[in-house]
DNA sequence: CAGAATCCATTCCGATACTG
DNA sequence: CAGTATCGGAATGGATTCTG
């Protein structure tokens, strides 16, 4: 055998492998990874971590987000039960967004990931620079 | 005050907030979140978790991935130092891909996230169904 | 075998205008 | 204030073809 070990077809980490691609839980797992990988979702989640916010607060508090993307992002988070939407029957309209209990529990894993990224920032940058430099001379 | 607490402008979770958007470490953090959110990256990482693989092994082991996307995905992972690429000077060509030490350390946080998703699959599905049902009657 | 390059359909997203 | 609706450019990604 040429590789370190193999006793059958391509094996994969159970929770990450394509094998779990077929079962029904996959779409929810992907939904979560999609939210985490989505720039605006993480910023909305991070902003709501310190308490409820109104639509406009989020719009102005998150640099660079468009009204359209904020709406779409909030709808997705709301649909998955990570964020709650509360409409106050007043004039002018007031809508508060907040993390749900479910949304709160998602924060620790996401923060762990971000902290991993912070901890390895230098390593990643060095690899990138080395890679780019190697490509440059081609 | 109307919300739970506020003593200034919109505050955000330090590691997730837009405030960290300005500093230089941000691009690396986003790079990591992008990889985690990327369907093919997670599947490649998950497949390599059990040992080195050749290009074709990955191509056929990961259901649905195209040659183009496998190449692109591997290049990104390689550029960030998460995956190593080893060319063997033989005929026909043989190229082995493997997780680097850095790549190995990324697995636990990612797995934690996936396990969160698994643990809350039902809750998410229920919220979705409820949300979709509510939309349907409009 | 392991890719690089090209073509093309789809999707995404920002900007803008309009509404209750 | 808090959206919705529409349009057009940009980016994404699959299928295909070609190469060392």
């Amino acid at each position: 055998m040429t590789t370190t070990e193999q006793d059958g077809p391509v094996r994969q980490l159970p929770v990450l492998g394509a094998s779990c691609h077929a079962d029904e839980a996959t779409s929810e797992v992907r939904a979560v990874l999609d939210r985490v990988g989505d720039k605006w979702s993480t910023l909305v989640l991070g902003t709501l971590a310190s308490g409820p916010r109104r639509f406009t607060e989020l719009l102005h508090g998150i640099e660079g987000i468009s009204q359209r993307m904020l709406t779409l992002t909030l709808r997705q988070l709301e649909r998955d039960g990570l964020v709650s939407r509360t409409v106050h029957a007043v004039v002018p309209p007031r809508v508060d967004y907040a993390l749900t209990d479910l949304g709160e529990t998602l924060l620790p894993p996401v923060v762990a990931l971000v902290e991993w990224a912070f901890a390895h920032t230098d390593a990643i940058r060095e690899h990138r620079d080395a890679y780019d430099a190697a490509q440059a001379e081609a």
Side-chain angles (χ1 to χ4, degrees), chain A:
Chain A
M1 56 184 80
T2 50
T3 55
T4 49
E5 51 170 325
Q6 46 190 172
D7 53 23
V10 175
R11 286 189 299 168
Q12 301 168 321
L13 228 199
V15 293
L16 286 181
S19 50
C20 75
H21 224 241
D23 73 54
E24 31 192 303
T26 305
S27 64
E28 277 87 0
V29 173
R30 273 253 54 89
V32 171
L33 295 183
D34 285 347
R35 285 319 99 221
V36 171
D38 182 42
K39 175 177 179 176
W40 301 129
S41 291
T42 52
L43 289 174
V44 167
L45 253 16
T47 303
L48 292 180
S50 63
R53 301 290 169 189
R54 304 180 57 168
F55 186 85
T56 324
E57 286 183 298
L58 291 170
L59 187 58
H60 296 114
I62 299 173
E63 188 178 10
I65 197 171
S66 65
Q67 188 202 48
R68 172 191 156 85
M69 287 317 291
L70 178 57
T71 300
L72 291 175
T73 300
L74 287 170
R75 290 295 166 274
Q76 301 219 63
L77 294 173
E78 188 194 355
R79 187 170 109 101
D80 286 347
L82 300 172
V83 161
S84 66
R85 178 172 180 272
T86 309
V87 181
H88 301 275
V90 297
V91 183
R94 178 193 179 92
V95 180
D96 279 339
Y97 290 93
L99 287 184
T100 61
D101 289 346
L102 186 64
E104 293 277 1
T105 70
L106 176 57
L107 288 182
V110 174
V111 168
L113 202 57
V114 173
E115 285 180 341
W116 181 95
F118 266 117
H120 298 91
T121 285
D122 291 343
I124 293 175
R125 177 159 36 218
E126 282 165 22
H127 271 107
R128 281 199 187 185
D129 291 348
Y131 184 93
D132 292 349
Q135 295 312 90
E137 58 181 84

